[in-house]
């Protein structure tokens, strides 16, 4: 009986050491993706990679890009939201800009997913910008 706990104790430091080595050998992008996925899970949001067409979702992540791209002659502000698992396009129709919507900003968005040209899109979502101090 006493042999089993010793082997468990011996494995525990080895696994901590292994995790530390893995973390040190990971790229900055991998570490950021892992952190974003943990934040998504802690926020109770759906990972973007799990979002399906026509599903109502609540997602969180970091805005990678923000561009003004007219759609059918109507201004449309488009942003790419990345949560570490995948990316989706967030589109506000009829808007040229929104204060606070800028690359690097974290946000929570909710709405119905649509698929457009093989990419996930949220049109005119409800959104909440994360406070700058929490980034």
């Amino acid at each position: 009986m006493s042999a089993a706990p010793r082997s468990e104790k011996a494995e525990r430091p080895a696994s901590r050491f292994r995790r530390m080595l893995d973390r040190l050998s990971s790229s900055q992008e991998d570490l950021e993706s892992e952190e974003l996925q943990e934040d998504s899970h802690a926020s109770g949001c759906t990972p973007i990679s799990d979002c399906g067409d026509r599903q109502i979702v609540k997602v969180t992540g970091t805005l990678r890009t923000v561009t003004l791209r007219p759609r059918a002659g109507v201004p449309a502000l488009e942003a790419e939201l990345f949560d570490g698992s995948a990316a989706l396009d967030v589109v506000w129709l009829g808007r040229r800009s929104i204060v606070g919507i800028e690359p690097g900003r974290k946000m929570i968005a909710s709405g119905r997913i649509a698929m457009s040209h093989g990419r996930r899109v949220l049109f005119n979502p409800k959104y909440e910008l994360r406070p700058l101090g929490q980034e």
Side-chain angles (χ1 to χ4, degrees), residues 62-67 78-82 87-90 119:
T62 301
L63 296 175
R64 283 197 201 169
T65 60
V66 179
T67 57
E78 292 187 10
E80 182 183 64
L81 184 70
F82 180 70
L88 68 78
D89 295 328
V90 183
R119 289 186 56 93

Side-chain angles (χ1 to χ4, degrees), residues 26-99:
S26 298
S27 71
Q28 184 66 26
E29 186 175 319
D30 291 341
L31 294 175
E32 289 173 2
S33 292
E34 184 178 317
E35 185 178 312
L36 286 169
Q37 288 178 39
E38 289 171 5
D39 183 44
S40 176
H41 180 70
S43 301
C45 294
T46 305
I48 293 173
S49 61
D50 293 348
C51 296
D53 191 24
R54 302 180 53 98
Q55 180 182 1
I56 295 176
V57 298
K58 179 179 172 186
V59 295
T60 187
T62 301
L63 296 175
R64 283 197 201 169
T65 60
V66 179
T67 57
L68 177 62
R69 185 171 297 145
R71 287 181 174 244
V74 176
L77 185 65
E78 292 187 10
E80 182 183 64
L81 184 70
F82 180 70
D83 75 347
S85 68
L88 68 78
D89 295 328
V90 183
V91 179
W92 290 273
L93 298 170
R95 301 296 298 263
R96 294 185 189 283
S97 66
I98 299 173
V99 175

Side-chain angles (χ1 to χ4, degrees), residues 5-39:
R6 284 185 190 160
S7 65
E8 288 175 16
K9 287 181 183 177
E11 290 176 15
R12 196 173 302 146
S15 63
R16 282 188 200 145
F17 181 71
R18 185 74 202 147
R19 282 195 306 260
M20 184 181 74
L21 280 177
D22 289 345
R23 203 155 167 80
L24 290 173
S25 65
S26 298
S27 71
Q28 184 66 26
E29 186 175 319
D30 291 341
L31 294 175
E32 289 173 2
S33 292
E34 184 178 317
E35 185 178 312
L36 286 169
Q37 288 178 39
E38 289 171 5
D39 183 44

